[in-house]
Amino acid sequence: MVSNYVRGRAREYRVKKMLLDTGAIYVVRSYGSHSMFDLTAVFPNQVKLIQVKKDRISKEEKESLVRFSKKVRNPMISVEVWFTYPKLRIWKIKYRT
């Protein structure tokens, strides 16, 4: 039997590969869910802070990401949630002053 951790890790590695294939210079995975973000991807003109989820996000996590996004306020830093099921969907959290 495959654990939720193993399935989640596999999703994160698939997204990491996608990011590298689409031009990311560097992608680092945060191990063990000790960070707000699963992946940090560095592109030539942007940094993406990414939370990878199967199909939904809790209200608390969503509120936490929105609060963080409000503090960043840098157009070169993108806060995103990538849902991987049933197909890839990307939700970019944008805060406008």
Side-chain angles (χ1 to χ4, degrees):
M1 174 149 261
V2 180
S3 70
N4 286 336
Y5 171 79
V6 171
R7 282 191 287 269
R9 182 183 64 198
R11 277 192 295 277
E12 291 167 8
Y13 278 118
R14 280 195 304 273
V15 170
K16 179 179 178 177
K17 182 178 182 331
M18 268 189 264
L19 291 163
L20 290 168
D21 290 347
T22 58
I25 298 167
Y26 180 73
V27 181
V28 65
R29 180 176 166 263
S30 175
Y31 296 94
S33 298
H34 297 295
S35 169
M36 183 180 298
F37 303 101
D38 297 317
L39 299 170
T40 301
V42 178
F43 288 83
N45 300 338
Q46 183 179 31
V47 174
K48 294 184 178 192
L49 305 173
I50 301 170
Q51 178 65 248
V52 179
K53 294 292 185 182
K54 178 181 175 185
D55 58 359
R56 63 182 167 268
I57 188 168
S58 73
K59 182 180 177 182
E60 293 81 18
E61 283 179 300
K62 181 179 177 181
E63 289 170 354
S64 177
L65 291 171
V66 169
R67 275 194 310 274
F68 180 84
S69 162
K70 288 178 181 179
K71 291 177 184 177
V72 172
R73 293 187 183 177
N74 184 330
M76 305 308 274
I77 299 175
S78 173
V79 176
E80 303 177 2
V81 180
W82 288 39
F83 299 100
T84 60
Y85 182 84
K87 62 180 184 173
L88 180 66
R89 295 175 292 131
I90 301 170
W91 176 50
K92 294 184 180 182
I93 301 171
K94 295 185 179 181
Y95 173 73
R96 294 189 184 9
T97 54

